[in-house]
C-alpha cells in the first residue's frame, strides 16, 4: 500500500522540495501552507501524487479539520513533517514582544497544534513517524536571532521530551536541525551564510535521515560541527565569538 505523508509549510523552501522528494520515494503527499496558489501549482506538477490542503497552522481547529480531511482522502498519515515556520531578525535596540509572540505562535504553537492533531491516531495504531523542523540556532543564542532561536530551542526540547513516550507507543519522532538553506526566508539575509545548501540538497538529507529513523537530522555536517563546538565553549569564549557577529 502506498504510504501517506503530510507536510506543513510546503508551499516553498524545504517543505516544497521534500514533498517532491517523497513523491520520488513512492509516497502520496498532502501539502499544507497558507498560500493556496503555490500549493495548487505544486499539486498540478504531480497530479494524484500531491494533494493540496491549504492551512494556517496557528488555527488549531483548522489543523484538526485538515488532519481529518487528509486521513479521509488519503488514508492514515504514515509520516508527518511539520515545517511551517517564519524567521525575522531582531535586536536589543528594536526588541518587540509582539514580533516575538507572532514567531512563537507560528513556529511553536503551530507545531503543537499539528502534534495534537496527529499523535492520538498514531499512538492508537502504534505506528507512524513525525518530524519537526527546527534549526541549528537551537544550540546557541546568536545575535539577531533571539526570538527565532528561542522558538527552535523550544521545539528541540519539546521533541526530546516526547520522544521516549512516543517510542513506547511505537511512534517515531525526529527533529530536523538545518543550517543555512537557500529558501525565500534566507534570501533576505544581508550577511554571509556559511555552508549554504540548496532546498533540494536539504530535502535529500532529510529524506535519508527519515528513512534511517534517527532522532536528530542535523546538516550540513560542517555547520553541525561548528555550532556544536561553539555550544561546548565556556560562556566567556563563546560570547567573544558571537560578539563578532554584531552588526556594525
Amino acid at each position: 500500500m502506498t504510504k501517506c505523508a503530510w507536510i506543513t509549510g510546503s508551499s516553498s523552501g524545504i517543505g516544497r522540495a521534500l514533498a517532491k522528494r517523497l513523491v520520488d520515494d513512492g509516497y502520496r503527499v498532502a501539502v499544507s501552507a497558507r498560500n493556496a496558489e503555490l500549493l495548487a501549482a505544486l499539486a498540478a506538477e504531480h497530479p494524484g501524487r500531491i494533494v493540496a490542503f491549504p492551512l494556517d497552522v496557528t488555527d488549531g481547529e483548522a489543523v484538526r479539520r485538515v488532519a481529518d480531511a487528509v486521513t479521509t482522502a488519503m488514508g492514515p498519515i504514515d509520516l508527518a513533517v511539520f515545517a511551517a515556520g517564519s524567521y525575522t531578525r531582531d535586536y536589543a535596540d528594536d526588541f518587540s514582544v509582539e514580533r516575538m509572540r507572532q514567531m512563537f505562535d507560528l513556529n511553536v504553537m503551530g507545531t503543537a497544534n499539528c502534534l495534537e492533531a496527529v499523535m492520538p491516531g498514531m499512538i492508537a495504531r502504534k505506528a507512524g513517524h513525525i518530524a519537526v523542523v527546527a534549526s541549528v540556532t537551537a544550540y546557541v543564542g546568536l545575535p539577531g536571532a533571539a526570538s527565532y532561536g528561542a522558538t527552535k530551542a523550544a521545539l528541540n526540547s519539546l521533541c526530546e521530551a516526547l520522544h521516549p513516550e512516543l517510542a513506547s507507543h511505537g511512534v517515531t519522532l525526529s527533529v530536523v536541525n538545518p543550517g543555512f538553506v537557500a529558501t525565500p526566508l534566507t534570501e533576505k539575509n544581508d550577511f554571509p551564510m556559511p555552508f549554504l545548501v540548496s532546498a533540494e540538497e536539504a530535502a535529500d538529507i532529510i529524506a535519508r535521515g527519515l528513512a534511517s529513523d534517527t532522532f536528530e537530522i542535523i546538516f550540513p555536517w560542517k555547520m553541525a560541527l561548528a555550532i556544536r563546538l561553539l555550544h561546548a565553549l565556556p560562556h566567556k569564549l563563546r560570547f567573544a565569538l558571537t560578539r563578532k557577529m554584531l552588526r556594525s
Side-chain angles (χ1 to χ4, degrees), residues 115-138:
L115 288 168
E116 183 183 51
V118 303
M119 285 196 297
M122 289 185 176
I123 290 171
R125 299 196 314 273
K126 296 188 178 299
H129 192 162
I130 300 168
V132 171
V133 177
S135 167
V136 295
T137 58

Side-chain angles (χ1 to χ4, degrees), residues 75-141:
I77 298 168
D78 299 290
L79 171 63
V81 180
F82 301 137
S86 185
Y87 161 62
T88 302
R89 289 181 67 76
D90 54 5
Y91 300 94
D93 59 7
D94 71 344
F95 188 80
S96 164
V97 170
E98 182 57 31
R99 186 166 57 228
M100 187 172 191
R101 181 180 292 111
Q102 290 174 357
M103 210 172 304
F104 264 86
D105 282 346
L106 177 55
N107 295 3
V108 179
M109 300 312 298
T111 299
N113 286 333
C114 295
L115 288 168
E116 183 183 51
V118 303
M119 285 196 297
M122 289 185 176
I123 290 171
R125 299 196 314 273
K126 296 188 178 299
H129 192 162
I130 300 168
V132 171
V133 177
S135 167
V136 295
T137 58
Y139 277 82
V140 178

